[in-house]
Amino acid sequence: SRLLAVTHNIPAASSYMRTEAYADTAQTITHTALSPSSTFYITYNGNLNYAFNFDSGSIYVYVRLSNSSGTLITGTTDDLIWAFTDDVDHSSNPTWDNSFGVSRTWKVTSGNRPTPDSGTTYTFDIWSKMNLPDDGGVTFNYATMTLLEIEE
């Protein structure tokens, strides 16, 4: 294997997101490929802040690696759980306010690359959704994204 290129980005923080449908988190990286047969390794390291106020049940925050339109990148896992809180009903309407680091690396083979933005330039985004958005929301911030282009 040979390292062809490294691309790095520090994305802006997302807005406070409250949606049951996948939406763009503003966590993004754009890379111009040097080889049509290389593999991309995309790493996200960031901070996830989420707050909820609910009486019973469980809260989930899901993510996916997407193209800029939100389409899941082929060969990657959909509905990755990045946050989970279970209300064990110790009090009525407890408020949960959590902040923690998250990290994930995705492998995108040349055959699974999305349609390029133009020429050989690709954009990868983190999209997110949650259950029970009426009871809370999530923010993605303090992140760094790195893309390694490897000829395997």
Side-chain angles (χ1 to χ4, degrees):
S1 296
R2 181 171 61 104
L3 177 64
L4 298 180
V6 176
T7 299
H8 179 258
N9 186 39
I10 299 175
S14 73
S15 61
Y16 185 66
M17 300 175 62
R18 299 177 70 146
T19 176
E20 286 183 302
Y22 271 108
D24 194 347
T25 66
Q27 308 305 286
T28 186
I29 192 164
T30 299
H31 176 75
T32 301
L34 300 180
S35 168
S37 60
S38 60
T39 298
F40 298 157
Y41 290 88
I42 302 160
T43 299
Y44 178 85
N45 294 301
N47 197 53
L48 181 67
N49 298 323
Y50 73 107
F52 293 96
N53 181 0
F54 59 100
D55 192 26
S56 64
S58 300
I59 298 295
Y60 294 89
V61 176
Y62 303 92
V63 298
R64 67 163 46 156
L65 182 66
S66 305
N67 65 10
S68 56
S69 299
T71 303
L72 176 71
I73 301 299
T74 302
T76 64
T77 304
D78 201 7
D79 294 336
L80 293 168
I81 297 173
W82 271 11
F84 167 77
T85 298
D86 188 24
D87 176 23
V88 293
D89 208 21
H90 290 290
S91 67
S92 180
N93 289 322
T95 298
W96 302 88
D97 191 358
N98 302 281
S99 180
F100 51 88
V102 290
S103 182
R104 175 74 182 196
T105 299
W106 290 270
K107 178 180 180 178
V108 179
T109 62
S110 60
N112 289 340
R113 292 180 189 174
T115 302
D117 301 332
S118 65
T120 58
T121 300
Y122 299 87
T123 298
F124 296 93
D125 292 346
I126 307 294
W127 283 51
S128 181
K129 69 178 182 178
M130 69 197 71
N131 68 328
L132 305 176
D134 293 340
D135 293 328
V138 63
T139 305
F140 294 78
N141 55 18
Y142 308 115
T144 181
M145 292 183 77
T146 305
L147 187 151
L148 304 177
E149 183 176 357
I150 307 286
E151 194 70 67
E152 297 184 311

